[in-house]
């Protein structure tokens, strides 16, 4: 039996026995065979000394059981690592940040506690997946649309808390939440917003602020509590959803094009997720590769000539989507087309219209997510087919042409310096207001030498981009200390603040030690230093 | 010279001298004449023992000066009460919650630090008012619209942090913010979100989350820090703004009407502020008064007969507004009219169209706010002309007909029991997603007996509504303890959490003791008990 660091085998056995008394022996996992399932399937250090492996896992079925387990953990000072459905591949899966932590697996807490069609909201437990929610809504013929992320197997709770995203108007999942119930590190139970007002009923899932400090945000991307109830705003099933792809033809229009694209959001015409891509500027095309690697990276004239030869546009935006009443969607679409048609070579490459509740079997894989249909199609090769796993580098940057150029130039440099294969220019995803994000990174193999190189390259990208004001907003546990290290204003005032709060609300440091770079007082020496 | 409680006159003088050394003698206010200006002009207990009066005021001009003053306050343990432009009338103005606190007046920190037209955002200091921002934008002919609250003299910083609202798509002002700089209770300086990443530039005002726990919310409606920089998202000047009022004629359609109204927001067609009113159900109309006071409060038939006699509709919505590209606004308007025209007697009572940057002199007072033009017109009698001040009761409740009926019935009962004049049914304002709020309450006079009665009536309303699951989301300092007391789930877990955080991040309890019902450890006995 593995044990958490500093805990004797006999104490650990005693603690697990107490846990078994609460949740039943069959929901305490301590055999290597069982615990291995909680290892990070995409870990770049799998099997190496740096891999973080849980010592056991516990699967409670209720809030009361969670509280009891947290109290037992406090008694024995056992580090717990809560997960909801435990997906989050490439960002660590179910594996803890602090090696030897006990995974608190909330998958059995999978009740949809309320779903209100007229009010368009729901409240779920953390083990409810997007598939569960979708199936419930369709089984009950509710006129509601959910907003799943690309792989639909995760939970609204975990996805939202880790700043996951979908493709509809509620794309920024944390921002679409309303109301939390949280078990704190000492086992105490808290409800935020109107949940603290006895008898307020559905207002908990409607009005987010309640009275006084609005604390919900501190439970996102953190280790400050275990969320056991989670409210979400939903979209009434739209009359029309139009998904479309566009492109323009002149290389030199990048800045103007991104500016127009951003304005479409700012004036309220777009509010969903799309990707800006650069099909011509791909390292997979030998001539493009040569031009990208030439001094200066190619002039407008050279790129436009290449475009003419290859018939590929320099800039495109795919998966634009407008959802709502048909006539308004049409007006939005017309406005977008009208506004962008000033760009040379502008064209709508493809356009797909869908009515309310489209039959999932009739919707092509690429559009399922935008239409609120959870799927795993993204694992079938659409952009993910990289070896045995992947290590994603996820920076956020301003939605401007200047930032797109700058970050791509830095990435080109960084990949070259790290001797890793770069795929060429990436525009950005419109996951958050006024911001582009991208996912780049490295495939992983069953080859520890190759993976070691990927980890070193990842650190190199972090360092190079960080020195230029670009950083990730989420990352694999292996890099969480280093990422928070980059957010260093005023001698790490933000980290010092997080540590002060952590020590106050979880004084024994039980919950998810090290997550998001936040270590409890007695483990602060575990923190990794500079890059 | 007044002194803060527990501070000797000599210590206080020494402390103020140190403050004068930092900010200059002329920005230290300690004469009664100067300090009186910081009293709450609308206090219902003005001149009585319960009034909370500052002992002095300090007006720093920079972040560094704020930090120095906070450090001096820590040295002498002097309670500070930060205000931005110090409006917030009816919710306490500049007067502290803890009697004798020193007001930290940030009005001199009035620089617009950045305003970005292409990106549609700005960053301001706390002393910048909506008027300042409006004037700057118009002087520089920027194609941007701000979203002022009804009285435009306050600051975006203070208004947003106290959950103030405007009338455009960014109506929920706190939700439209992005990025904070905060001086903590120990004088430390923190930047949230991307502000913590050196060199990230404008991403601070674009991307709200940064990395790790999203802490901004805890600085709203709280006493956890002094916000010294505040980022805000702005609206590109809309091509067309259409403001309109509608009504329907059947009393019994309330529930359906509110449901349709709510759905217009949920499907994304409305996103701005309007008021649902009940012109027929007014206590000012003798026949309506008689019907409201009859057993059962009048049947549908009786109300519809009264409507026919008086020519007043039972339900109306005023100040609906759609803003954006002209063709989309027209499609939205057509959709709204089409969807609501199923209601008997539906009519558009008035409709006003405005182009971009309307001339303020040509815009009637009632529409100024919706068009981003700050004004003080609301003080000129539009709904505010109540005596020498007013005491506002501001509950939040679900956007449903059922909740509208329930809260009005309770208010009718509460006003009657408190022997206070009630004005009749109120629908609600659409200030926040899926939620109605209202402002009701009492006029105040130069008559302490009358005002004492108003305070007692206020407490009675709090108690009666609270027992039925309704509560305010903001309130006058006189009632802040009592309001937080109502948010009592699990033996006040939320308040215990706030207190734990407060003690950790402001260990000497320097900042705004008592604000939002949160008292520092050494003053916790000041908290008022049950109603």
């Amino acid at each position: 039996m593995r044990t958490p660091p500093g805990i004797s085998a006999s104490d650990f056995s005693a603690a697990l026995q107490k846990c078994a008394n609460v949740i039943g022996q069959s929901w305490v996992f301590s055999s290597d065979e069982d615990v291995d399932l909680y290892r990070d399937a995409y870990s770049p250090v799998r099997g190496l000394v740096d891999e973080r492996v849980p010592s056991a896992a516990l699967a409670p079925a209720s809030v009361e059981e969670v509280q009891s387990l947290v109290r037992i953990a406090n008694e024995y000072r056992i580090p717990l690592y809560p997960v909801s459905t435990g997906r989050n591949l490439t960002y660590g899966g179910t594996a803890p940040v602090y090696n030897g932590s006990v995974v608190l697996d909330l998958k059995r807490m999978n009740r949809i506690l309320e779903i209100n069609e007229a009010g368009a909201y729901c409240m779920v437990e953390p083990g409810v997946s997007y598939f569960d929610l979708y199936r419930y809504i369709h089984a009950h013929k509710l006129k509601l649309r959910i907003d799943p992320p690309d792989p639909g197997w995760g939970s609204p709770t975990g996805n939202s808390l880790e700043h996951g995203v979908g493709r509809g108007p509620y794309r920024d999942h944390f921002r679409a939440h309303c109301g939390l119930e949280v078990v704190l590190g000492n086992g105490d139970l808290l409800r935020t917003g109107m949940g603290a007002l006895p008898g307020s009923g559905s207002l908990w899932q409607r009005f987010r602020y309640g009275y006084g400090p609005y604390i919900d945000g501190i439970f996102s991307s953190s280790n400050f509590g275990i969320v056991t109830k989670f409210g979400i705003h939903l979209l009434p099933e739209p009359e029309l959803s139009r998904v479309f792809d566009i492109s323009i033809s002149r290389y030199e229009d990048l800045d103007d094009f991104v500016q127009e694209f951003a304005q479409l959001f700012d004036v309220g015409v777009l509010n969903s997720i799309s990707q800006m891509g650069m099909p011509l500027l791909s390292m997979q095309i030998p001539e493009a590769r040569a031009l990208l690697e030439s001094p200066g990276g190619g002039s407008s004239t050279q790129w436009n000539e290449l475009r003419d030869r290859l018939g590929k546009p320099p800039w495109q935006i795919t998966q634009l989507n407008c959802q709502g009443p048909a006539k308004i969607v049409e007006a939005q679409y017309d406005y977008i087309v009208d506004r962008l048609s000033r760009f040379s070579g502008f064209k709508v490459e493809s356009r797909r219209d869908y009515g309310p509740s489209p039959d999932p079997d009739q919707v092509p894989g690429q559009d399922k997510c935008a239409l609120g249909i959870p799927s795993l199609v993204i694992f079938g090769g659409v952009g993910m087919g990289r070896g045995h796993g992947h290590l994603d580098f996820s920076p956020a940057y301003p939605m401007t042409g200047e930032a797109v150029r700058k970050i791509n130039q830095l990435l080109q440099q960084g990949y070259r310096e790290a001797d890793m294969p770069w795929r060429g220019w990436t525009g950005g995803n419109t996951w958050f207001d006024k911001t582009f994000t991208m996912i780049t990174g490295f495939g992983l193999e069953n080859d520890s030498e190759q993976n070691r190189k990927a980890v070193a390259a990842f650190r190199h990208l972090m360092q190079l981009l960080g020195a230029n004001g670009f950083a990730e907003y989420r990352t694999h546990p292996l890099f969480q200390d280093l990422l928070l290290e980059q957010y260093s204003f005023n001698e790490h005032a933000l980290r010092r603040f997080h540590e002060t709060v952590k020590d106050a609300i979880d004084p024994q440091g039980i919950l998810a030690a090290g997550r998001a770079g936040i270590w409890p007082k007695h483990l602060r020496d575990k923190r990794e230093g500079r890059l």
Side-chain angles (χ1 to χ4, degrees), chain A:
Chain A
M1 187 175 67
R2 294 164 188 153
T3 58
I7 310 291
S8 71
S10 62
D11 274 3
F12 193 47
S13 291
L16 291 185
Q17 187 52 55
K18 282 198 183 178
C19 293
N21 296 344
V22 173
I23 58 176
Q25 191 64 56
S26 59
W27 299 109
V28 176
F29 305 107
S30 60
S31 74
D32 286 0
E33 192 179 27
D34 283 342
V35 173
D36 272 357
L37 294 173
Y38 289 95
R39 290 168 66 188
D40 175 11
Y42 282 12
S43 174
V45 291
R46 198 169 167 89
L48 303 180
V49 65
D50 281 344
E51 186 186 354
R52 291 95 190 270
V53 180
S55 56
L58 306 166
S62 70
V63 177
E64 294 72 23
E65 288 184 6
V66 172
Q67 290 182 270
S68 298
L69 297 180
V70 171
R71 291 193 185 109
I72 294 166
N74 268 277
E75 190 184 332
Y76 290 89
R77 214 158 176 174
I78 291 170
L80 294 179
Y81 193 77
V83 301
S84 54
T85 48
R87 307 305 177 178
N88 215 18
L89 282 172
T90 196
Y91 300 113
T94 42
V97 177
Y98 180 43
N99 202 11
S101 298
V102 172
V103 172
L104 192 66
D105 183 347
L106 305 175
K107 67 184 171 192
R108 293 175 65 211
M109 295 175 62
N110 60 358
R111 290 178 303 161
I112 296 170
L113 298 168
E114 196 196 344
I115 188 156
N116 187 308
E117 186 178 24
Y121 60 81
C122 67
M123 169 137 299
V124 297
E125 289 187 325
V128 171
S129 72
Y130 287 99
F131 279 110
D132 295 335
L133 203 50
Y134 179 82
R135 286 185 191 126
Y136 183 94
I137 285 170
H138 286 264
H140 292 79
K141 300 196 191 315
L142 305 179
K143 295 193 191 325
L144 293 171
R145 176 171 290 184
I146 65 167
D147 189 67
D150 274 328
W153 61 359
S155 73
T157 307
N159 187 272
S160 307
L161 290 171
E162 293 303 322
H163 294 309
V165 291
R167 291 176 180 272
Y170 287 136
R171 58 190 167 137
D172 178 347
H173 285 168
F174 185 71
R175 202 160 158 83
H177 102 279
C178 187
L180 301 180
E181 180 185 82
V182 185
V183 174
L184 296 173
N186 59 5
D188 205 356
L189 187 68
L190 185 76
R191 288 184 178 174
T192 71
M194 300 308 293
L197 184 76
S200 69
S202 76
L203 203 52
W204 192 12
Q205 287 93 61
R206 289 176 176 269
F207 178 57
R208 52 178 69 78
Y209 298 126
Y211 177 58
Y214 177 50
I215 62 172
D216 290 35
I218 73 168
F219 298 107
S220 66
S221 195
S222 84
N223 52 13
F224 291 168
I226 304 167
V227 173
T228 48
K229 290 187 176 64
F230 191 78
I232 317 163
H233 289 177
L234 300 171
L235 191 66
E237 187 61 64
E239 192 182 355
L240 174 63
S241 302
R242 179 166 293 175
V243 190
F244 54 109
D245 310 316
I246 60 173
S247 65
I248 63 166
S249 68
R250 289 200 318 189
Y251 177 84
E252 61 270 36
D253 283 343
L254 175 66
D255 288 33
D256 281 355
F257 189 50
V258 174
Q259 171 60 19
E260 282 295 317
F261 188 31
Q263 281 273 311
L264 291 172
F265 286 86
D266 289 342
V267 302
V269 175
L270 280 176
N271 60 7
S272 56
I273 287 189
S274 44
Q275 291 92 42
M276 182 165 177
M278 278 76 164
L280 183 64
L281 285 71
S282 162
M283 293 289 271
Q284 317 306 314
I285 304 170
E287 292 152 288
R289 182 187 186 111
L291 204 47
L292 278 169
E293 289 180 344
S294 68
S299 67
S300 300
T301 311
Q302 288 174 302
W303 282 110
N304 292 336
E305 280 170 8
L306 191 60
R307 169 205 67 207
D308 291 340
R309 274 214 304 287
L310 299 177
K312 278 185 188 293
W315 319 126
Q316 72 175 15
I317 302 172
T318 54
Q319 290 269 304
L320 284 149
N321 84 73
C322 296
Q323 310 187 6
K327 284 186 180 158
I328 295 173
V329 168
E330 276 156 17
Q332 290 170 325
Y333 177 81
D334 290 347
Y335 180 81
I336 294 167
V337 169
D338 186 51
R339 185 148 177 172
L340 298 180
S341 61
R342 74 176 175 88
F343 288 100
S344 179
F346 170 77
K347 71 171 177 225
V348 177
E349 295 191 335
S350 165
R351 194 188 108 182
R352 290 87 71 192
D353 282 2
Y354 302 95
S357 301
D359 177 353
D361 295 335
Q362 303 297 315
V363 176
Q366 71 200 34
D367 289 350
K368 280 189 181 352
C369 183
L371 297 173
I373 304 165
S375 84
L376 297 175
V377 72
I378 197 150
F379 291 115
V382 187
M384 282 287 192
R386 288 177 273 161
H388 290 78
H390 47 92
L391 188 56
D392 287 354
F393 184 75
S394 308
Y397 46 103
M399 202 170 165
T400 64
E402 184 191 354
V404 169
R405 269 184 282 111
K406 182 104 184 274
I407 200 166
N408 277 290
Q409 283 157 1
L410 289 167
L411 286 170
Q412 180 170 14
Q413 178 191 338
Y415 274 79
R416 188 178 60 238
E417 288 169 352
D419 186 28
M420 293 295 273
W422 179 53
R423 287 183 294 165
W425 278 50
T426 306
N429 302 313
T430 59
W431 288 354
F432 304 102
D433 292 339
K434 298 186 189 294
T435 305
F436 269 148
T437 50
M438 70 159 73
I439 294 178
T440 179
F442 315 104
L444 297 171
E445 304 293 337
N446 272 339
D447 175 342
S448 60
E449 199 41 57
Q450 233 355 79
N451 293 348
R452 216 186 303 265
K453 194 175 162 192
V455 170
F458 198 99
R459 287 173 187 247
H460 181 65
L461 287 189
M462 286 181 80
Q463 186 169 39
L464 177 66
L465 270 73
N468 286 276
F470 297 104
E472 293 183 286
Y473 69 97
R474 58 175 169 175
T475 201
H476 187 276
L478 216 49
F479 310 103
Q480 292 179 359
D481 284 348
L482 301 173
L483 183 52
L484 190 59
E485 179 76 24
Q486 294 190 310
Y487 286 76
S488 65
F489 174 76
N490 189 22
E491 297 172 9
H492 297 92
L494 188 60
R495 186 170 67 199
R496 284 186 279 111
F497 183 84
H498 293 333
E499 288 172 348
T500 302
V501 172
K502 177 70 176 171
D503 292 343
I505 65 175
D506 180 11
Q508 294 233 82
I510 297 301
L511 300 184
R515 180 141 193 90
I518 303 163
W519 291 91
K521 193 172 247 168
H522 72 289
L523 295 175
R524 216 150 276 159
D525 63 338
K526 304 292 173 197
R527 189 169 72 205
E528 284 187 71
R530 300 189 175 280
L531 283 158

